[in-house]
Amino acid sequence: MALLDICTYPDPVLRRIAEPVDKIDWEVRKLIVDMVETMYEAPGIGLAANQVGKLLRLLVIDLQRPDCGHGLIVLVNPVIVATEGETSYEEGCLSVPDYYHKVRRHEHVTVQGFDQHAKPVEIEAGGLLAIVLQHEMDHLDGKLFIDRLGLVARDLFKRRWKKRLKEALTEPAQ
Ligand code: K1U
Ligand code: ZN
């Protein structure tokens, strides 16, 4: 097992569209194990392969809530096949550290894909799971939650982030 580096905004890999996984071989299974480890260590409740620099359609989620009805979720080549309703939730992202904002998404989604053993999986989700599934699937399409903010909030975010990067560059090394 190995911890992977999480790429952060504005890393261009976060803007690339991930490729379908054509075979779930030992290399893909090792990547899944490492992504799960990395998600728990971060800590986070989801992680998409783009976030660790791998352009594969692969994501892991663990809400770490016994009441959600799901433990660890591994999805290879996930596709949203149905959506319903609208909701909003204050989201965070391991690739955009220390920034949270409300984002509007579908309230319920049905997602199909495959698990780490290439077994077909279908998940009908509402609540936080539906939000995190959509957030992670956005990553696979090179989209970040900040792209879903209104113009004013996005502009404010960009200005704040520029300032943060500038400060990080001018800070004396420890
Ligand atoms: O994709 C990611 O960057 C992971 C992200 C998932 C997510 C969280 C909330 C709304 C939408 C998507 C995170 O895990 S951010 C960290 C976080 O929310 C959290 C971390 C530890 C415990 C509980 C929550
Ligand atoms: Zn994210």
Side-chain angles (χ1 to χ4, degrees):
M1 277 187 289
L3 287 180
L4 306 169
D5 288 333
I6 297 177
C7 306
T8 55
Y9 176 86
D11 191 321
V13 77
L14 297 169
R15 294 314 194 175
R16 305 265 308 271
I17 297 178
E19 296 286 331
V21 174
D22 55 18
K23 192 164 171 240
I24 303 175
D25 55 15
W26 70 268
E27 228 174 312
V28 170
R29 278 198 289 268
K30 160 121 180 49
L31 174 60
I32 291 169
V33 169
D34 291 347
M35 281 175 58
V36 171
E37 184 83 352
T38 304
M39 170 180 70
Y40 289 146
E41 177 69 22
I45 52 177
L47 192 68
N50 309 45
Q51 292 179 278
V52 292
K54 307 283 181 198
L55 289 168
L56 290 173
R57 302 193 78 81
L58 164 60
L59 62 87
V60 296
I61 294 174
D62 191 341
L63 299 189
Q64 298 175 53
R65 286 187 183 174
D67 57 322
C68 100
H70 290 274
L72 173 67
I73 294 170
V74 174
L75 278 174
V76 179
N77 297 341
V79 183
I80 294 180
V81 294
T83 63
E84 206 188 295
E86 200 184 278
T87 187
S88 76
Y89 188 85
E90 180 130 316
E91 298 193 12
C93 180
L94 297 174
S95 296
V96 189
D98 310 320
Y99 182 77
Y100 301 86
H101 208 284
K102 272 208 164 178
V103 178
R104 278 216 311 253
R105 296 200 186 265
H106 301 296
E107 192 176 11
H108 296 274
V109 291
T110 305
V111 175
Q112 291 178 346
F114 299 88
D115 72 8
Q116 61 271 48
H117 311 292
K119 188 176 147 229
V121 182
E122 182 172 283
I123 298 173
E124 278 182 39
L128 182 58
L129 181 56
I131 308 279
V132 180
L133 275 165
Q134 292 171 82
H135 177 113
E136 301 311 330
M137 290 184 64
D138 266 359
H139 274 303
L140 302 182
D141 289 328
K143 251 193 170 176
L144 297 172
F145 79 112
I146 49 167
D147 304 332
R148 294 193 177 273
L149 306 184
L151 262 183
V152 176
R154 206 176 336 145
D155 219 61
L156 207 63
F157 163 79
K158 281 186 183 159
R159 270 194 272 154
R160 248 212 249 172
W161 208 263
K162 255 189 210 156
K163 188 165 170 260
R164 178 187 162 128
L165 291 178
K166 210 164 138 193
E167 280 167 3
L169 283 174
T170 52
E171 248 169 40
Q174 298 269 336

